[in-house]
């Protein structure tokens, strides 16, 4: 049953490589019945995805993955079941995209100082007027022969203490949850194991998140190991959070994450789609 839900995915509207329609078709072909499109800091792909989903009989959850800074660390919060017309949400997302644009320019300047010219122009060309993320820089640097793979670019250029790293003050947790709430969505902490927080720090994050109206934890993620899933399932049960599952699929190039292959949610975790607030547009 769980395998039919995938509540975290990306399209060309952010840093995925498939169009929203092609993503929905790939999900349908992989046996997914309910898909959330959760592009970074934008809902621009939703309309096209919803049209494609309707044609195929797949149910689309209108979502987004919001960039948040919490205790000087970047944390991603998914909003699921969003009213994309909501002005509060859209103003918040626009603010995040402005931060992205100025960061992209600064990444370009820093890479130029490190001897890699044209990266800002190159990344923007790949983004084609949509949001610019580190993934676009990564693809550009690989294409220019500066690294062998996207992973290598991140490792050598785009993470803390590397030449193209720029730290950003994203939205506060409080603001991000207010925007999701205004749009009628359910907030979920994305890929919690990726933050490498101590157990007590993660409980602290969960505590603040709950106080601010957050309710879900992405227990099953394409980037979680089996151990990560077990750890997050225990946290989810102890804190009485709703459990979510999502691949974080970015397209067929990222071959380590495939659609339709998520493990089931562990026993005792209440799925987010059993919440009384769950609704599909
Ligand atoms: P951004 O939101 O622009 O800072 O970029 C974050 C995105 O970069 C994530 O959503 C992933 O798609 C990608 N990413 C982050 N770290 C890595 C990594 N080590 N290898 C490959 N992709 C990564
Ligand atoms: Mn991404
Ligand atoms: Mn993420
Ligand atoms: Mn994601």
């Amino acid at each position: 049953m769980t395998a039919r839900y995938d509540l975290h995915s990306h399209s060309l509207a952010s840093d995925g490589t498939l169009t929203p329609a092609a993503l929905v078709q790939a999900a349908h072909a992989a046996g997914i019945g309910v898909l959330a499109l959760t592009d970074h800091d934008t809902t621009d792909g939703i309309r096209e995805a919803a049209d494609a989903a309707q044609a195929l009989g797949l149910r689309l959850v209108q979502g987004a993955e919001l960039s948040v800074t919490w205790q000087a660390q970047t944390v991603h919060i998914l909003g699921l079941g969003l009213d994309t017309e909501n002005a509060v949400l859209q103003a918040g997302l626009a603010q995040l995209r402005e931060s992205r644009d100025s960061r992209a320019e600064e990444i370009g300047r820093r890479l130029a100082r490190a001897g890699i010219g044209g990266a800002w122009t190159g990344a923007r060309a790949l983004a084609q007027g949509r949001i610019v993320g580190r993934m676009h820089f990564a693809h550009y640097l690989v294409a220019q022969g500066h690294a062998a793979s996207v992973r290598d670019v991140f490792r050598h250029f785009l993470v803390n203490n590397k030449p193209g790293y720029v730290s950003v003050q994203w939205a506060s947790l409080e603001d991000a949850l207010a925007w999701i709430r205004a749009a009628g969505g359910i907030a979920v902490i994305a890929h919690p194991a990726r933050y490498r927080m101590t157990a007590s720090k993660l409980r602290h994050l969960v505590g603040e998140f709950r106080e601010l109206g957050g309710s879900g934890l992405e227990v099953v993620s394409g980037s979680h190991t089996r151990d990560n899933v077990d750890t997050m399932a225990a946290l989810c049960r102890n804190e009485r959070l709703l459990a979510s599952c999502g691949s974080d699929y970015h397209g067929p190039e990222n071959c380590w994450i495939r659609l339709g292959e998520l493990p089931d949610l562990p026993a005792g975790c209440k799925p987010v789609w059993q919440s009384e607030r769950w609704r599909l547009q």
Side-chain angles (χ1 to χ4, degrees):
M1 187 65 190
T2 308
R4 294 182 42 79
Y5 285 83
D6 186 336
L7 302 179
H8 188 161
S9 69
H10 296 271
S11 75
L12 269 179
S14 65
D15 58 359
T17 59
L18 297 179
T19 63
L23 170 72
V24 166
Q25 282 149 14
H28 183 253
I32 291 162
V34 184
L35 176 76
L37 177 61
T38 54
D39 277 307
H40 297 283
D41 307 327
T42 182
T43 57
D44 284 356
I46 297 283
R47 183 176 294 261
E48 180 186 321
D51 288 347
Q54 197 172 22
L56 291 167
L58 178 148
R59 290 194 288 170
L60 186 85
V61 177
Q62 304 193 154
E65 182 173 17
L66 276 62
S67 308
V68 163
T69 300
W70 183 77
Q71 299 210 342
Q73 194 174 347
T74 298
V75 168
H76 286 169
I77 304 293
L78 300 165
L80 300 178
L82 300 171
D83 169 10
T84 58
E85 310 272 293
N86 183 268
V88 172
L89 172 70
Q90 290 304 340
L93 295 179
Q95 195 179 310
L96 286 170
R97 292 194 297 269
E98 272 179 35
S99 302
R100 279 186 173 274
D101 287 343
S102 39
R103 176 187 67 162
E105 205 171 341
E106 181 61 19
I107 291 176
R109 274 194 290 268
R110 294 197 189 189
L111 287 173
R113 253 181 262 144
I116 298 175
W120 185 44
T121 309
R124 275 187 309 160
L126 289 172
Q128 292 178 35
R130 298 175 285 252
I131 72 149
V132 185
R134 283 184 291 168
M135 195 77 111
H136 299 103
F137 282 93
H139 284 299
Y140 177 77
L141 263 63
V142 171
Q144 294 297 306
H146 295 290
S149 68
V150 162
R151 277 184 164 180
D152 278 352
V153 182
F154 273 91
R155 198 175 311 139
H156 298 301
F157 297 100
L158 297 179
V159 294
N160 205 359
N161 297 319
K162 298 297 173 183
Y165 179 74
V166 176
S167 84
V168 183
Q169 190 66 36
W170 299 114
S172 66
L173 189 62
E174 186 175 3
D175 284 349
L177 291 202
W179 303 337
I180 292 170
R181 191 173 346 107
I186 296 180
V188 173
I189 299 175
H191 43 61
R194 280 256 296 275
Y195 310 126
R196 300 182 186 287
M197 289 179 188
T198 59
S200 72
K201 187 162 185 188
L202 188 54
R203 276 199 305 274
H204 183 184
L205 169 63
V206 165
E208 284 194 20
F209 173 76
R210 295 198 56 158
E211 271 174 33
L212 295 167
S215 53
L217 187 72
E218 197 172 52
V219 171
V220 167
S221 160
S223 63
H224 281 174
T225 63
R226 187 72 238 176
D227 272 2
N228 292 156
V229 172
D230 291 344
T231 306
M232 295 310 155
L235 180 64
C236 184
R237 288 187 294 256
N238 290 340
E239 301 284 337
R240 299 189 183 284
L241 290 163
L242 297 164
S244 190
C245 63
S247 62
D248 205 1
Y249 185 71
H250 281 73
E253 296 77 8
N254 305 312
C255 51
W256 61 92
I257 292 176
R258 286 198 290 269
L259 284 170
E261 295 187 1
L262 287 174
D264 286 349
L265 281 175
C269 291
K270 181 178 175 183
V272 65
W273 55 86
Q274 285 176 11
S275 156
E276 55 286 355
R277 292 185 45 233
W278 182 254
R279 65 190 166 89
L280 297 161
Q281 273 70 25

